[in-house]
Amino acid sequence: MVPFEFAYYRPQSIAEAVAMFIELEQKGKRPLYYGGGTEIITLSRLGLVSTAAVIDMKAIPECRVLDADSDPLVLGAALSLTELVEANPFPLLTKAAKEVADRTARNQITLGGNLCGQIFYRETALALLVAEADIVIAGPNGVRQSRINDLFHQHLQLSRGEFVVQIKVRRFAVELPHFHHKRRKQGEIGYPLVTIAALKKDETIHAAFSGVCPFPFRSAKVEAHLNDRRRPATERIQAAVNAFPRPILHDIEGSADYRLFVAAQLLEDALRELGETI
Amino acid sequence: MAVGKSIIRKEAWDKVTGRAKYTNDFKEQGMLHAKLVTSPYAHARIISIETHEALAAPGVRAVLTGKGLPLTGEDMRDRPPIAADKVRYYGEVVAVVVADTLVQAEQAARLIRIVYEPLPAVGSPREALKEGAPLLHEELDRYERNKTTYPEPGTNIAHRTKIRKGDIKQGFAESDVIIETSVSFAPSDHVAMETRCATAEIWPDGSIHISASSQSPFMIKRLIHTYFGEEAGKIVVHTPLVGGAYGGKAPVQLELLAYLATKAVGGRKVSVWNNRECDMVTSPVHIGLEATVKIGATKDGVFKAMEIVFLFDGGAYSDKAIDVSRAAAVDCTGPYHVEHVWCDSLCVYTNRPYATPFRSFGHCEQSFAVERAIDELAKVLQLDPWDVRRKNAIRPGHTTPTQVRLTKSNVGDMPACLDRLRELMRWDEWQRIELDAYTVRAKGISGGWKTSTIDTDSSSGVILTFNSDGSVNVISGVVEIGTGTKTVLAQIVAERLKMNVDDVHVKMDIDTQTTPEHWKTVASRGTFMAGRAALAAANDAIRQLKEIAACVLRVTPDDLEVGFGRVFLRDDPAIFIPVKDIAYGYKFPNGNAIGGQVIGRGHYILRRLTPLDPETGAGKPGPEWGVCAEGVEVEFNRRDYTYRIVKAYAVIDAGKVLNPKAALGQAMGAMSMGLSFASREGFLFDEAQRVLNPQLRTYRPIHFGEHPTYIVEFIETPQIDAPYGARGIGEHGLLGMPAALANALSLAAGVPLNELPLVPELIWRKQKGDSYGSL
Amino acid sequence: MEETTKCELVLHINGEQRTVITRQAETLLFVLRDELGLTGTKPGCLNGDCGACTVLVNGTPIKSCMMLAIETVGKEITTIEGLRDTPIQHAFVRHFAFQCGYCTPGFIMNIHALIEQHPNADQSTIQEWLQSNICRCTSYQEIEAAVKEALQAKKTDIQPSHNRISRV
């Protein structure tokens, strides 16, 4: 239940969406781009979001593209996580998507929505960060494309009025050996204690994390330690964990020291699965 | 005929087609909607409440605050329906906004300005009992209370139950070994899928019509009379199907708000419907506990003495928590014979959501404490934990902690339950086994017993009306909360009238004006009490049928039998008259008529129950003790501390299984709830005692796929005075689950696990030797 | 662009066309229940966490508390009232797969879609789908048995008996 009023718009093109945004913004409506809508509705009922207009992205053809045969493969931001999982164009992303919320919720949650969410886990970003995917963004200044790693610092750095149109993943990245694991406080549904997505490219491990900090991250320092093959694996892992950004999450899902314990174990699993000597 | 068969519940097809209606499904044009404004503080003085802006908002019809309202509470009247001078828990109602639509009510609620002066909050029973702890209720000595409630003014103790049996000093003196174990867990929630809802309206004739998602429609009627002086006869409470209750819908709360709200808007119908967050913290919760158990035993493991202290976290208001703390005391030892028992069970005020019955009514709490201690004792004595339980198992001839002598009828067969559990679990093959470097499997067990500590004059009534086709309608005050009791009542009636159960119809809804009273649908007493009433009503109907048939057939009623749709001559069944021909009386060929509609009536009142002696606890709290033995098998990973519950077992003495599949469902569902509670549920509080997880996203009950394989069997030791011998079985499945899980995991991890919920982080910390608490 | 936040929607529900005037910000759940009287769809948490309000939108299970009604214009909505004599309803009754019945419509809608989309669903698919719903009365074992029987019924294309006998 949304305890306030808003107007709903469903543009049919990128240009129309941007134009609507600009107009609504000028009218003081503080519009929000609307993907699956689950987070907007959730946060609205808790009084954490308010807007006078939502702009639904799901009728924009570019946002609905799923091209698994091209290089790079193209994933529309308005694809639902279930659509991504079922088509499985990028197995590491599939694994990440499959652990978000629950199946029925994933029928609604979109890739763009998960990436840009206020709820800070944004777990699909992990797969894209390690794969160094490109991200297509539209906004009042037109359409641009960037490496996600350049734009994602704790969250996607979008300007007001910008939205994610597509994600492009280069084919070679799709086929790299990878690792994904999500550990929760208990059971198989819920927010993560720690989620790790990793892949190995040219003998270098890329690793990204959610749940460890109040934002997802991929860190050069952490990876430098992980890839420092002069040292034994346990030392590499410990150094990587020590290099995690701060603060470490300490909340109802788990304490900070327990998260670090879990993260270290999952890193060990990751290294083993990616063929490192443990 | 009908008893002992898996009759499909009468409302089954309504429930799989969306036809089944619950309180909030009765929509009406013009009905107003209420929004509860709740406290963001766990303990604070209310300095001011500014409602003008809210009152001026679109659609708003009234804003209620707590000034001038009577105090409420079933055992002790300590709770204002809306907080007045201070708030005592996070989520407590401070105002109610009534508007044309729910959205308008929500919008207006955000316009209410409340100034609080925060007070130090009390976070656990031990904290609340500390010298100098802030007092929640300064006027504890002035509250109205019943004769069996003993508050201790000047402290945070709402009630103390004392059990003194034998001589505890002597018991310990005779012991070779004494162990002491402490356990604890925070309050948690029932999480019925249907959140609580109540509507109320006042008709022009002054009659008050309430609809409520409740286990206690008759209590609502009584309490509105008591609290507000309304004439009992003018209060009509309607309860349709209830979407899960588990004890949480026994207390009366939203109904009072709905009543106050409708009064504030000139009698218009108002709906008060909890959102999930309010349902979890504003409405009453599952009680928390801190307990210490000291067991003295011989070196062979024979219990000589038990000294038990239960500190129940009753939360901010005592309400039914007093009763829960008493129930745990009454059965404090568990299903074991102990000569010397000393128990103090305290219902303690804290600045937490207030507590109310949770399926098993203090008994899964009691058993978690005592059964963990028994395992620790077995470990110290290097005895098999099953052997220790078997050796001490309660039997007829023994006495309970409240000194009731047990008979073959009033207690189930505990040794038989334990013996069967041992076979089912293949207990003797292994109790702990290492599958590989990290994977350990382990088994844990628990005994359990329970009597129902309910009002000594609780009663139940049933009316049977006949239809012209000879079929029967059963009208009972038992609420259909999911237990299938009304279908079981139909089975009992069909059995007694020797008729097809398909021809026994059941009125599902309760309407206190037309439904005979059933005290409350709690305590697994539906089948027993309403079943006895149904049998009495059936006997009454049989008498009437025989009387009419005797005239028609020109015989004496004594020579007649009723069954198979007929009233027939016992020694010559060929001479009969169909029931349908006399169900509405009989019309002779010449037009003369006798009889009239057959209406059977029956009632049952509990007998020979007594309150407990305030000093010793001696007294008869309930009619019988049902027993069970339960077990859990876990697979634990020693590296990452995660685990999987592989199997869960229960052997329950059901007395007589009236409906096998329904009984299995009751047992398994209760087990699932117990495992969910023990493995993952519990409120998390911050230092100011605010609840941090009042949502199903962060408070996550067990989901599909996380469930183990359930193995359930029933023993049948009849309770002689119960319908066909049946004992209550709705709660026993839950009783032993927390303890059995904790025992299995303690064995697997090699460290005592005495706190709940048993999440991997807890086990990790315990193994590291850290303390573990909420953030 | 229109300023008003109320709108008229033409929805296709259970094979019927229904017109409602509602808030643009209104969720499908409230429109179904309050505007259209389809109270078989149950509110459980309004937060997408419990699955009680699950309906089908173009055959896909959706938590109706998390979708705006206006989003469903032009789509086929199926609620529990739109299912009659399906294998899963029969299997639920036979296996005592519910008690209080409140979560039941949500479960049945989800399972119905599962059976339609994955008639050969294996254990992990069943688990993945059914994790979306919470049942507080049963142990889930009963629901699991019902799902498997209904899948079997679908596979072998044997329609279960429509005779609603009460004995098993």
Side-chain angles (χ1 to χ4, degrees), chain B residues 15 22 25 502 681 710, chain C residues 42 89 99-100 136 141 166:
Chain B
K15 285 182 172 172
Y22 303 79
D25 293 338
D502 289 344
E681 293 183 37
Y710 291 94
Chain C
K42 301 299 183 203
Q89 287 168 301
Q99 291 176 24
C100 83
R136 201 59 173 161
Q141 194 161 292
S166 54

Side-chain angles (χ1 to χ4, degrees), chain B residues 186-192 196 246 248 276-287 353-354 356 358 673 677 681-683 693 696 699 701, chain C residues 136:
Chain B
S188 53
D189 195 43
H190 307 77
V191 191
R196 298 164 177 91
Y246 326 109
R276 178 56 65 185
E277 291 80 1
C278 281
D279 207 57
M280 291 184 77
V281 298
T282 300
S283 285
V285 304
H286 174 200
I287 209 159
Y354 72 102
T356 205
F358 174 75
M673 187 166 260
F677 160 56
E681 293 183 37
F683 285 126
N693 55 341
L696 298 180
Y699 183 112
Chain C
R136 201 59 173 161

Side-chain angles (χ1 to χ4, degrees), chain B residues 247-417:
Chain B
K249 290 173 181 169
V252 178
Q253 182 200 31
L254 297 191
E255 297 81 4
L256 307 178
L257 299 178
Y259 161 78
L260 292 167
T262 188
K263 279 200 83 160
V265 294
R268 286 183 66 181
K269 190 167 184 173
V270 181
S271 158
V272 184
W273 175 49
N274 268 350
N275 60 25
R276 178 56 65 185
E277 291 80 1
C278 281
D279 207 57
M280 291 184 77
V281 298
T282 300
S283 285
V285 304
H286 174 200
I287 209 159
L289 175 69
E290 293 174 334
T292 302
V293 177
K294 204 165 134 187
I295 304 180
T298 66
K299 60 181 186 312
D300 303 328
V302 175
F303 300 157
K304 297 306 280 183
M306 275 198 201
E307 185 184 296
I308 301 167
V309 177
F310 291 128
L311 306 178
F312 278 100
D313 188 341
Y317 300 104
S318 61
D319 205 51
K320 296 307 294 173
I322 286 176
D323 238 356
V324 175
S325 69
R326 185 187 293 121
V330 155
D331 290 335
C332 61
T333 56
Y336 308 104
H337 174 59
V338 188
E339 265 174 84
H340 308 289
V341 182
W342 186 100
C343 172
D344 263 16
S345 183
L346 278 63
C347 180
V348 182
Y349 287 122
T350 65
N351 289 114
R352 288 174 164 185
Y354 72 102
T356 205
F358 174 75
R359 198 173 193 173
S360 90
F361 205 74
H363 287 71
C364 74
E365 298 82 351
Q366 170 276 325
S367 66
F368 177 60
V370 170
E371 299 284 334
R372 277 297 302 131
I374 292 175
D375 258 36
E376 289 301 306
L377 175 76
K379 203 165 112 189
V380 168
L381 291 172
Q382 293 183 301
L383 295 173
D384 180 326
W386 182 89
D387 278 331
V388 173
R389 288 175 172 87
R390 182 66 170 78
K391 200 168 280 180
N392 294 286
I394 196 101
R395 287 185 179 82
H398 290 151
T399 57
T400 72
T402 69
Q403 304 173 41
V404 177
R405 182 148 306 271
L406 295 172
T407 68
K408 272 187 186 164
S409 171
N410 73 4
V411 67
D413 190 340
M414 189 62 199
C417 289

Side-chain angles (χ1 to χ4, degrees), chain B residues 530-550:
Chain B
R532 281 290 299 263
L535 284 174
N539 290 339
D540 188 35
I542 287 169
R543 184 186 53 74
Q544 295 173 45
L545 289 167
K546 284 182 181 175
E547 265 177 20
I548 302 169

Side-chain angles (χ1 to χ4, degrees), chain C residues 24-145:
Chain C
Q24 296 187 41
E26 199 55 274
T27 56
L28 180 59
L29 172 66
F30 278 76
V31 168
L32 291 174
R33 290 175 53 81
D34 294 359
E35 306 292 339
L36 299 169
L38 295 168
T39 54
T41 303
K42 301 299 183 203
C45 65
L46 306 185
N47 206 51
D49 301 328
C50 77
C53 67
T54 304
V55 300
L56 306 187
V57 177
N58 284 350
T60 299
I62 289 291
K63 291 172 178 174
S64 62
C65 71
M66 287 284 112
M67 182 172 274
L68 302 175
I70 198 169
E71 291 183 69
T72 64
V73 171
K75 296 178 175 168
E76 286 295 333
I77 300 163
T78 311
T79 70
I80 187 71
E81 289 90 347
L83 296 192
R84 278 291 176 271
D85 277 335
T86 62
I88 192 58
Q89 287 168 301
H90 282 271
F92 256 55
V93 169
R94 262 199 300 277
H95 288 275
F96 286 55
F98 55 92
Q99 291 176 24
C100 83
Y102 198 83
C103 72
T104 311
F107 262 102
I108 287 181
M109 295 317 292
N110 194 15
I111 298 166
H112 181 71
L114 169 69
I115 293 169
E116 293 292 316
Q117 290 183 23
H118 297 277
N120 296 309
D122 59 9
Q123 184 69 30
S124 77
T125 307
I126 294 171
Q127 181 164 329
E128 184 196 336
W129 280 60
L130 268 64
Q131 276 174 343
S132 306
N133 300 65
I134 298 174
C135 172
R136 201 59 173 161
C137 292
T138 74
S139 73
Y140 295 117
Q141 194 161 292
E142 305 88 325
I143 293 175
E144 191 173 2

Side-chain angles (χ1 to χ4, degrees), chain B residues 463-486:
Chain B
I463 295 172
L464 300 179
T465 61
F466 277 68
N467 300 306
S468 57
D469 60 358
S471 66
V472 177
N473 307 308
V474 181
I475 306 165
S476 151
V478 173
V479 180
E480 185 45 70
I481 54 177
T483 53
T485 309
K486 286 207 148 153

